Amino acid sequence: MSAAGCIFCKIVAGEIPATVVRRGDGMLAFKDVNPQAPTHLLVIPTHHVASLNDAKDPQLLGRLLGFARDVARDAGVAERGYRVVMNTNPDGGQTVFHLHLHLLGGRPMTWPPG
Ligand code: DGP
């Protein structure tokens, strides 16, 4: 089910263009419009879930993470390494309220994050 006005639901529906790199198993991965690393992909469930706080199905979260791992392999960053991030709500830096993982790679990551 899509949520009215949700940007990522519109990407799933093809109403907003995006560079899709992988689709299947109720998941979609596409390039972030504002990349923070040489590889910066977003991995989302195709049905609308607003945030991690709203994700009631642990299997969905497991599939999302496994999908991101496969995307990292296909993007060629698995061996050197990568980071997955899920920003949640305002203090977590979430700006798009459709559950998503950021997959960042292609450069060394620093810690702590800002
Ligand atoms: P977050 O701040 O964690 O909610 O991340 C939202 C990300 O979504 C942010 O890195 C920018 C990206 N983004 C926002 N709008 C669009 C869009 O229309 N297309 C694509 N590809 N990415 C978008």
Side-chain angles (χ1 to χ4, degrees):
M1 181 112 84
S2 65
C6 172
I7 296 170
F8 289 176
C9 285
K10 289 182 176 166
I11 287 175
V12 170
E15 294 166 7
I16 291 179
T19 305
V20 171
V21 299
R22 190 179 179 91
R23 185 193 302 270
D25 194 28
M27 305 287 159
L28 189 72
F30 54 95
K31 291 188 177 180
D32 193 294
V33 77
N34 183 24
Q36 302 301 312
T39 297
H40 187 172
L41 302 168
L42 299 171
V43 184
I44 69 169
T46 54
H47 72 275
H48 187 80
V49 177
S51 81
L52 184 57
N53 288 342
D54 302 288
K56 306 301 181 202
D57 179 3
Q59 289 190 358
L60 172 75
L61 297 172
R63 287 195 292 116
L64 188 68
L65 205 49
F67 195 84
R69 177 207 52 212
D70 294 346
V71 167
R73 180 198 60 214
D74 292 351
V77 298
E79 192 169 334
R80 285 188 62 87
Y82 56 93
R83 181 172 290 173
V84 289
V85 174
M86 187 178 279
N87 298 327
T88 303
N89 276 354
D91 274 7
Q94 185 175 9
T95 59
V96 176
F97 287 84
H98 181 128
L99 185 69
H100 56 280
L101 284 177
H102 294 259
L103 168 54
L104 299 145
R107 65 166 170 82
M109 298 292 144
T110 59
W111 194 263

PDB file of all heavy atoms in Angstrom, residues 7-8 11 16-19 30-34 40 42 87 93-97 100 102, ligand 1:
ATOM      1  N   ILE A   7       7.381  10.286  -1.165  1.00  0.00           N
ATOM      2  CA  ILE A   7       8.306  10.324  -2.312  1.00  0.00           C
ATOM      3  C   ILE A   7       8.746   8.919  -2.705  1.00  0.00           C
ATOM      4  O   ILE A   7       8.807   8.592  -3.894  1.00  0.00           O
ATOM      5  CB  ILE A   7       9.555  11.161  -1.943  1.00  0.00           C
ATOM      6  CG1 ILE A   7       9.198  12.611  -1.675  1.00  0.00           C
ATOM      7  CG2 ILE A   7      10.592  11.099  -3.058  1.00  0.00           C
ATOM      8  CD1 ILE A   7      10.364  13.398  -1.080  1.00  0.00           C
ATOM      9  N   PHE A   8       9.057   8.094  -1.712  1.00  0.00           N
ATOM     10  CA  PHE A   8       9.589   6.766  -2.043  1.00  0.00           C
ATOM     11  C   PHE A   8       8.492   5.856  -2.594  1.00  0.00           C
ATOM     12  O   PHE A   8       8.766   5.015  -3.459  1.00  0.00           O
ATOM     13  CB  PHE A   8      10.296   6.145  -0.840  1.00  0.00           C
ATOM     14  CG  PHE A   8      11.622   6.801  -0.495  1.00  0.00           C
ATOM     15  CD1 PHE A   8      12.339   6.397   0.629  1.00  0.00           C
ATOM     16  CD2 PHE A   8      12.162   7.804  -1.287  1.00  0.00           C
ATOM     17  CE1 PHE A   8      13.557   6.985   0.948  1.00  0.00           C
ATOM     18  CE2 PHE A   8      13.382   8.408  -0.970  1.00  0.00           C
ATOM     19  CZ  PHE A   8      14.075   7.993   0.155  1.00  0.00           C
ATOM     20  N   ILE A  11       8.454   6.684  -6.147  1.00  0.00           N
ATOM     21  CA  ILE A  11       9.563   6.033  -6.869  1.00  0.00           C
ATOM     22  C   ILE A  11       9.197   4.580  -7.144  1.00  0.00           C
ATOM     23  O   ILE A  11       9.391   4.082  -8.258  1.00  0.00           O
ATOM     24  CB  ILE A  11      10.880   6.175  -6.073  1.00  0.00           C
ATOM     25  CG1 ILE A  11      11.369   7.627  -6.164  1.00  0.00           C
ATOM     26  CG2 ILE A  11      11.940   5.193  -6.578  1.00  0.00           C
ATOM     27  CD1 ILE A  11      12.592   7.941  -5.334  1.00  0.00           C
ATOM     28  N   ILE A  16       8.081   9.018  -9.969  1.00  0.00           N
ATOM     29  CA  ILE A  16       9.266   9.879  -9.861  1.00  0.00           C
ATOM     30  C   ILE A  16      10.430   9.028 -10.360  1.00  0.00           C
ATOM     31  O   ILE A  16      10.571   7.881  -9.927  1.00  0.00           O
ATOM     32  CB  ILE A  16       9.514  10.322  -8.399  1.00  0.00           C
ATOM     33  CG1 ILE A  16       8.430  11.288  -7.933  1.00  0.00           C
ATOM     34  CG2 ILE A  16      10.890  10.948  -8.236  1.00  0.00           C
ATOM     35  CD1 ILE A  16       8.597  11.733  -6.490  1.00  0.00           C
ATOM     36  N   PRO A  17      11.277   9.579 -11.257  1.00  0.00           N
ATOM     37  CA  PRO A  17      12.385   8.776 -11.770  1.00  0.00           C
ATOM     38  C   PRO A  17      13.452   8.530 -10.713  1.00  0.00           C
ATOM     39  O   PRO A  17      13.675   9.375  -9.833  1.00  0.00           O
ATOM     40  CB  PRO A  17      12.933   9.632 -12.921  1.00  0.00           C
ATOM     41  CG  PRO A  17      12.453  11.008 -12.667  1.00  0.00           C
ATOM     42  CD  PRO A  17      11.202  10.921 -11.860  1.00  0.00           C
ATOM     43  N   ALA A  18      14.069   7.380 -10.791  1.00  0.00           N
ATOM     44  CA  ALA A  18      15.189   7.049  -9.914  1.00  0.00           C
ATOM     45  C   ALA A  18      16.051   6.030 -10.651  1.00  0.00           C
ATOM     46  O   ALA A  18      15.565   5.309 -11.525  1.00  0.00           O
ATOM     47  CB  ALA A  18      14.683   6.468  -8.593  1.00  0.00           C
ATOM     48  N   THR A  19      17.317   5.993 -10.269  1.00  0.00           N
ATOM     49  CA  THR A  19      18.222   4.999 -10.854  1.00  0.00           C
ATOM     50  C   THR A  19      18.150   3.744 -10.000  1.00  0.00           C
ATOM     51  O   THR A  19      18.769   3.649  -8.942  1.00  0.00           O
ATOM     52  CB  THR A  19      19.665   5.555 -10.917  1.00  0.00           C
ATOM     53  OG1 THR A  19      19.646   6.783 -11.634  1.00  0.00           O
ATOM     54  CG2 THR A  19      20.591   4.555 -11.607  1.00  0.00           C
ATOM     55  N   PHE A  30      17.908   1.891  -4.974  1.00  0.00           N
ATOM     56  CA  PHE A  30      18.146   2.922  -5.980  1.00  0.00           C
ATOM     57  C   PHE A  30      19.161   3.929  -5.448  1.00  0.00           C
ATOM     58  O   PHE A  30      19.422   3.996  -4.248  1.00  0.00           O
ATOM     59  CB  PHE A  30      16.837   3.632  -6.375  1.00  0.00           C
ATOM     60  CG  PHE A  30      16.052   4.203  -5.214  1.00  0.00           C
ATOM     61  CD1 PHE A  30      16.206   5.541  -4.842  1.00  0.00           C
ATOM     62  CD2 PHE A  30      15.175   3.414  -4.475  1.00  0.00           C
ATOM     63  CE1 PHE A  30      15.489   6.075  -3.780  1.00  0.00           C
ATOM     64  CE2 PHE A  30      14.454   3.936  -3.399  1.00  0.00           C
ATOM     65  CZ  PHE A  30      14.614   5.262  -3.053  1.00  0.00           C
ATOM     66  N   LYS A  31      19.736   4.709  -6.386  1.00  0.00           N
ATOM     67  CA  LYS A  31      20.761   5.679  -6.000  1.00  0.00           C
ATOM     68  C   LYS A  31      20.154   6.845  -5.226  1.00  0.00           C
ATOM     69  O   LYS A  31      19.098   7.364  -5.613  1.00  0.00           O
ATOM     70  CB  LYS A  31      21.483   6.207  -7.246  1.00  0.00           C
ATOM     71  CG  LYS A  31      22.356   5.161  -7.919  1.00  0.00           C
ATOM     72  CD  LYS A  31      23.185   5.796  -9.035  1.00  0.00           C
ATOM     73  CE  LYS A  31      24.099   4.749  -9.654  1.00  0.00           C
ATOM     74  NZ  LYS A  31      24.933   5.301 -10.728  1.00  0.00           N
ATOM     75  N   ASP A  32      20.858   7.254  -4.166  1.00  0.00           N
ATOM     76  CA  ASP A  32      20.448   8.446  -3.421  1.00  0.00           C
ATOM     77  C   ASP A  32      20.685   9.677  -4.297  1.00  0.00           C
ATOM     78  O   ASP A  32      21.707   9.791  -4.976  1.00  0.00           O
ATOM     79  CB  ASP A  32      21.256   8.550  -2.117  1.00  0.00           C
ATOM     80  CG  ASP A  32      20.663   9.563  -1.163  1.00  0.00           C
ATOM     81  OD1 ASP A  32      20.669  10.774  -1.484  1.00  0.00           O
ATOM     82  OD2 ASP A  32      20.184   9.155  -0.080  1.00  0.00           O
ATOM     83  N   VAL A  33      19.725  10.589  -4.288  1.00  0.00           N
ATOM     84  CA  VAL A  33      19.803  11.784  -5.128  1.00  0.00           C
ATOM     85  C   VAL A  33      20.899  12.737  -4.639  1.00  0.00           C
ATOM     86  O   VAL A  33      21.386  13.574  -5.404  1.00  0.00           O
ATOM     87  CB  VAL A  33      18.417  12.488  -5.174  1.00  0.00           C
ATOM     88  CG1 VAL A  33      18.139  13.265  -3.890  1.00  0.00           C
ATOM     89  CG2 VAL A  33      18.258  13.348  -6.405  1.00  0.00           C
ATOM     90  N   ASN A  34      21.321  12.578  -3.386  1.00  0.00           N
ATOM     91  CA  ASN A  34      22.317  13.471  -2.781  1.00  0.00           C
ATOM     92  C   ASN A  34      23.425  12.626  -2.152  1.00  0.00           C
ATOM     93  O   ASN A  34      23.536  12.533  -0.924  1.00  0.00           O
ATOM     94  CB  ASN A  34      21.620  14.351  -1.729  1.00  0.00           C
ATOM     95  CG  ASN A  34      22.549  15.353  -1.092  1.00  0.00           C
ATOM     96  OD1 ASN A  34      23.575  15.725  -1.677  1.00  0.00           O
ATOM     97  ND2 ASN A  34      22.225  15.774   0.122  1.00  0.00           N
ATOM     98  N   HIS A  40      26.265   5.322  -2.843  1.00  0.00           N
ATOM     99  CA  HIS A  40      25.245   5.699  -1.852  1.00  0.00           C
ATOM    100  C   HIS A  40      23.894   5.279  -2.414  1.00  0.00           C
ATOM    101  O   HIS A  40      23.330   5.949  -3.290  1.00  0.00           O
ATOM    102  CB  HIS A  40      25.280   7.191  -1.546  1.00  0.00           C
ATOM    103  CG  HIS A  40      24.361   7.580  -0.413  1.00  0.00           C
ATOM    104  ND1 HIS A  40      24.360   8.850   0.141  1.00  0.00           N
ATOM    105  CD2 HIS A  40      23.418   6.877   0.293  1.00  0.00           C
ATOM    106  CE1 HIS A  40      23.462   8.905   1.117  1.00  0.00           C
ATOM    107  NE2 HIS A  40      22.858   7.718   1.213  1.00  0.00           N
ATOM    108  N   LEU A  42      19.904   3.624  -1.578  1.00  0.00           N
ATOM    109  CA  LEU A  42      18.818   3.516  -0.608  1.00  0.00           C
ATOM    110  C   LEU A  42      18.104   2.198  -0.849  1.00  0.00           C
ATOM    111  O   LEU A  42      17.845   1.833  -1.996  1.00  0.00           O
ATOM    112  CB  LEU A  42      17.841   4.683  -0.771  1.00  0.00           C
ATOM    113  CG  LEU A  42      18.448   6.065  -0.545  1.00  0.00           C
ATOM    114  CD1 LEU A  42      17.460   7.157  -0.941  1.00  0.00           C
ATOM    115  CD2 LEU A  42      18.886   6.252   0.909  1.00  0.00           C
ATOM    116  N   ASN A  87      18.323   5.998   9.606  1.00  0.00           N
ATOM    117  CA  ASN A  87      17.965   7.167  10.403  1.00  0.00           C
ATOM    118  C   ASN A  87      16.502   7.050  10.817  1.00  0.00           C
ATOM    119  O   ASN A  87      15.648   6.711   9.991  1.00  0.00           O
ATOM    120  CB  ASN A  87      18.170   8.441   9.578  1.00  0.00           C
ATOM    121  CG  ASN A  87      19.614   8.638   9.165  1.00  0.00           C
ATOM    122  OD1 ASN A  87      20.532   8.273   9.891  1.00  0.00           O
ATOM    123  ND2 ASN A  87      19.828   9.215   7.983  1.00  0.00           N
ATOM    124  N   GLY A  93      17.843  11.987  12.258  1.00  0.00           N
ATOM    125  CA  GLY A  93      18.147  12.581  10.958  1.00  0.00           C
ATOM    126  C   GLY A  93      17.246  12.109   9.837  1.00  0.00           C
ATOM    127  O   GLY A  93      17.547  12.330   8.660  1.00  0.00           O
ATOM    128  N   GLN A  94      16.124  11.459  10.175  1.00  0.00           N
ATOM    129  CA  GLN A  94      15.223  10.976   9.127  1.00  0.00           C
ATOM    130  C   GLN A  94      14.455  12.138   8.507  1.00  0.00           C
ATOM    131  O   GLN A  94      13.853  12.943   9.229  1.00  0.00           O
ATOM    132  CB  GLN A  94      14.244   9.941   9.700  1.00  0.00           C
ATOM    133  CG  GLN A  94      13.362   9.303   8.628  1.00  0.00           C
ATOM    134  CD  GLN A  94      12.468   8.185   9.174  1.00  0.00           C
ATOM    135  OE1 GLN A  94      12.380   7.987  10.386  1.00  0.00           O
ATOM    136  NE2 GLN A  94      11.807   7.481   8.287  1.00  0.00           N
ATOM    137  N   THR A  95      14.510  12.231   7.190  1.00  0.00           N
ATOM    138  CA  THR A  95      13.779  13.293   6.481  1.00  0.00           C
ATOM    139  C   THR A  95      12.705  12.739   5.561  1.00  0.00           C
ATOM    140  O   THR A  95      11.765  13.456   5.214  1.00  0.00           O
ATOM    141  CB  THR A  95      14.749  14.162   5.650  1.00  0.00           C
ATOM    142  OG1 THR A  95      15.440  13.343   4.704  1.00  0.00           O
ATOM    143  CG2 THR A  95      15.762  14.863   6.546  1.00  0.00           C
ATOM    144  N   VAL A  96      12.867  11.477   5.133  1.00  0.00           N
ATOM    145  CA  VAL A  96      11.842  10.836   4.301  1.00  0.00           C
ATOM    146  C   VAL A  96      11.224   9.716   5.135  1.00  0.00           C
ATOM    147  O   VAL A  96      11.923   8.786   5.558  1.00  0.00           O
ATOM    148  CB  VAL A  96      12.433  10.279   2.989  1.00  0.00           C
ATOM    149  CG1 VAL A  96      11.363   9.527   2.203  1.00  0.00           C
ATOM    150  CG2 VAL A  96      13.021  11.411   2.147  1.00  0.00           C
ATOM    151  N   PHE A  97       9.916   9.831   5.360  1.00  0.00           N
ATOM    152  CA  PHE A  97       9.262   8.898   6.286  1.00  0.00           C
ATOM    153  C   PHE A  97       8.670   7.698   5.550  1.00  0.00           C
ATOM    154  O   PHE A  97       7.463   7.461   5.564  1.00  0.00           O
ATOM    155  CB  PHE A  97       8.273   9.672   7.171  1.00  0.00           C
ATOM    156  CG  PHE A  97       9.029  10.489   8.188  1.00  0.00           C
ATOM    157  CD1 PHE A  97       9.524  11.742   7.864  1.00  0.00           C
ATOM    158  CD2 PHE A  97       9.335   9.959   9.431  1.00  0.00           C
ATOM    159  CE1 PHE A  97      10.282  12.471   8.775  1.00  0.00           C
ATOM    160  CE2 PHE A  97      10.091  10.680  10.351  1.00  0.00           C
ATOM    161  CZ  PHE A  97      10.566  11.931  10.011  1.00  0.00           C
ATOM    162  N   HIS A 100      13.888   3.149   5.214  1.00  0.00           N
ATOM    163  CA  HIS A 100      14.978   2.942   4.252  1.00  0.00           C
ATOM    164  C   HIS A 100      16.305   2.748   4.964  1.00  0.00           C
ATOM    165  O   HIS A 100      16.555   3.313   6.019  1.00  0.00           O
ATOM    166  CB  HIS A 100      15.083   4.110   3.262  1.00  0.00           C
ATOM    167  CG  HIS A 100      15.251   5.455   3.908  1.00  0.00           C
ATOM    168  ND1 HIS A 100      14.204   6.165   4.440  1.00  0.00           N
ATOM    169  CD2 HIS A 100      16.343   6.217   4.105  1.00  0.00           C
ATOM    170  CE1 HIS A 100      14.639   7.316   4.932  1.00  0.00           C
ATOM    171  NE2 HIS A 100      15.953   7.368   4.759  1.00  0.00           N
ATOM    172  N   HIS A 102      20.339   3.353   4.279  1.00  0.00           N
ATOM    173  CA  HIS A 102      21.390   3.923   3.440  1.00  0.00           C
ATOM    174  C   HIS A 102      22.509   2.889   3.349  1.00  0.00           C
ATOM    175  O   HIS A 102      22.935   2.342   4.372  1.00  0.00           O
ATOM    176  CB  HIS A 102      21.981   5.182   4.084  1.00  0.00           C
ATOM    177  CG  HIS A 102      21.034   6.329   4.197  1.00  0.00           C
ATOM    178  ND1 HIS A 102      21.052   7.394   3.322  1.00  0.00           N
ATOM    179  CD2 HIS A 102      20.048   6.592   5.095  1.00  0.00           C
ATOM    180  CE1 HIS A 102      20.121   8.266   3.678  1.00  0.00           C
ATOM    181  NE2 HIS A 102      19.493   7.808   4.750  1.00  0.00           N
TER     182      HIS A 102
HETATM  183  P1  DGP B   1      16.962  10.301   5.486  1.00  0.00           P
HETATM  184  O1  DGP B   1      17.485  11.685   5.776  1.00  0.00           O
HETATM  185  O2  DGP B   1      17.661   9.212   6.272  1.00  0.00           O
HETATM  186  O3  DGP B   1      15.463  10.255   5.620  1.00  0.00           O
HETATM  187  O4  DGP B   1      17.346  10.024   3.967  1.00  0.00           O
HETATM  188  C1  DGP B   1      16.559  10.398   2.905  1.00  0.00           C
HETATM  189  C2  DGP B   1      17.432  10.317   1.679  1.00  0.00           C
HETATM  190  O5  DGP B   1      16.592  10.306   0.553  1.00  0.00           O
HETATM  191  C3  DGP B   1      18.398  11.484   1.491  1.00  0.00           C
HETATM  192  O6  DGP B   1      19.741  11.004   1.541  1.00  0.00           O
HETATM  193  C4  DGP B   1      18.083  12.043   0.132  1.00  0.00           C
HETATM  194  C5  DGP B   1      17.247  10.972  -0.497  1.00  0.00           C
HETATM  195  N1  DGP B   1      16.187  11.464  -1.366  1.00  0.00           N
HETATM  196  C6  DGP B   1      15.241  12.372  -1.055  1.00  0.00           C
HETATM  197  N2  DGP B   1      14.424  12.571  -2.088  1.00  0.00           N
HETATM  198  C7  DGP B   1      14.850  11.739  -3.074  1.00  0.00           C
HETATM  199  C8  DGP B   1      14.399  11.473  -4.402  1.00  0.00           C
HETATM  200  O7  DGP B   1      13.420  12.037  -4.890  1.00  0.00           O
HETATM  201  N3  DGP B   1      15.103  10.573  -5.125  1.00  0.00           N
HETATM  202  C9  DGP B   1      16.193   9.921  -4.610  1.00  0.00           C
HETATM  203  N4  DGP B   1      16.812   9.046  -5.400  1.00  0.00           N
HETATM  204  N5  DGP B   1      16.637  10.128  -3.357  1.00  0.00           N
HETATM  205  C10 DGP B   1      15.972  11.033  -2.609  1.00  0.00           C
END
